[in-house]
Amino acid sequence: MTTASPRPVSPGAPRPVSPGEQPPLRLGTRKSPMAMIQSQHVADLITERTGRAVELVGITTFGDVSRANLAQIGGTGVFVSGLRASLLAGDIDLAVHSLKDLPVATPDGITLAAVPSRDDPRDALAARDGAKLADLPPGAKIGTGSPRRAAQLLLLRPDVRPVPVRGNADTRLGRVTSGEVDAVVLAYAGLARLGRLDAVTQVFEPEEMLPAPGQGALAVECRSDQPGLAALLARTDDAATRAAVTAERSLLAALEAGCSAPVGGYAAGTDGLRLRAEVVAADGETVLRASAGGPAAEAERLGREVAAELLRRGAGRYTAVSAGTAGRNSNGDE
């Protein structure tokens, strides 16, 4: 995805519509730089493929206002729920989310209309002086808002100290510059969207740090009572990405894992799907892994199959504490 500056959010009245012209679709988005950029990308894609104009509508959610730890207030589902409330109220026509933030259960009245082509799903380290993870001193403080990333960091280097951080990507990167932390871990896709790949000092391959289910992908939702709009939005859907994230989210649903569960899951493939998953103990001392392959058309079954194997190996002891918790990790941005 090319990085683009977000267009200004209209403060109120929509622009005048000529006779016979369809009014612009109202796309609800959080007001963070990341959310604005990815929402504008989807708006441009909709216009390119359908000819329909789209305007961004900025929405402030409870998660944006609260400074509490996300795990305590419901995970990143608090960002999603605010947009969904506006959607169900008819204040907007569609909403765009980072797909990894979506709770696995879609509420009544809302449909996942499209999953555009996925960006790079990997995680990235940003440290001072070009340092990689192996270069950091013993006891180095690494900022992350994700229990998954914290556990995986401890799996790679048991001596480091993951510390919770919130704020947008620039705020987190600033904590590295100021010396508050030695490094932060963020999603590569998010940094690419913001034009901040200059800050990346190491990219973790999935073999090192398995991404969160849905990471790098976007979700486009609309109301279920608008099948015409859903069909129009479906023209931005990417079948390969849809199949991959379906497998990953099926895994998450079967594990009943929420924002406190360090679960990684990534599916990819051309002729078929290969899903890899892992559950890591919070202290990084135990990791359970499983994988399976199959046709893309059986993505949901694939996710359940891998989850069943993980549960057979004892994953329930690490996921049960967060069963039913909405949301995933991070701060609602990649």
Side-chain angles (χ1 to χ4, degrees), residues 122-150:
R122 297 175 295 175
D123 291 298
L125 183 79
R128 285 187 300 279
D129 304 320
K132 299 183 183 303
L133 181 62
D135 302 324
L136 296 175
K141 293 189 293 184
I142 303 179
T144 174
S146 162
R148 171 190 63 86
R149 289 174 181 149

Side-chain angles (χ1 to χ4, degrees), residues 104 210-213 244-257 263-267 275-279 290 299-311 319:
V104 291
L210 203 60
V245 301
T246 296
E248 294 163 17
R249 286 169 58 76
S250 174
L251 161 83
L252 206 59
L255 288 174
E256 297 186 335
V263 177
Y266 178 56
L275 172 63
R276 288 180 290 158
E278 66 181 28
V279 176
E300 284 194 28
R301 179 196 61 77
L302 192 62
R304 293 194 298 270
E305 178 182 327
V306 173
E309 178 60 22
L310 286 170
L311 290 169
T319 61

Side-chain angles (χ1 to χ4, degrees), residues 16 24 79 95 115 123 157 164 170 201 229 252 262 273 287 320 328 333:
F79 299 110
V115 181
D123 291 298
R157 275 204 50 181
D170 283 328
T201 58
L229 176 58
L252 206 59
L273 279 180
V287 58
R328 289 296 304 139
D333 283 342

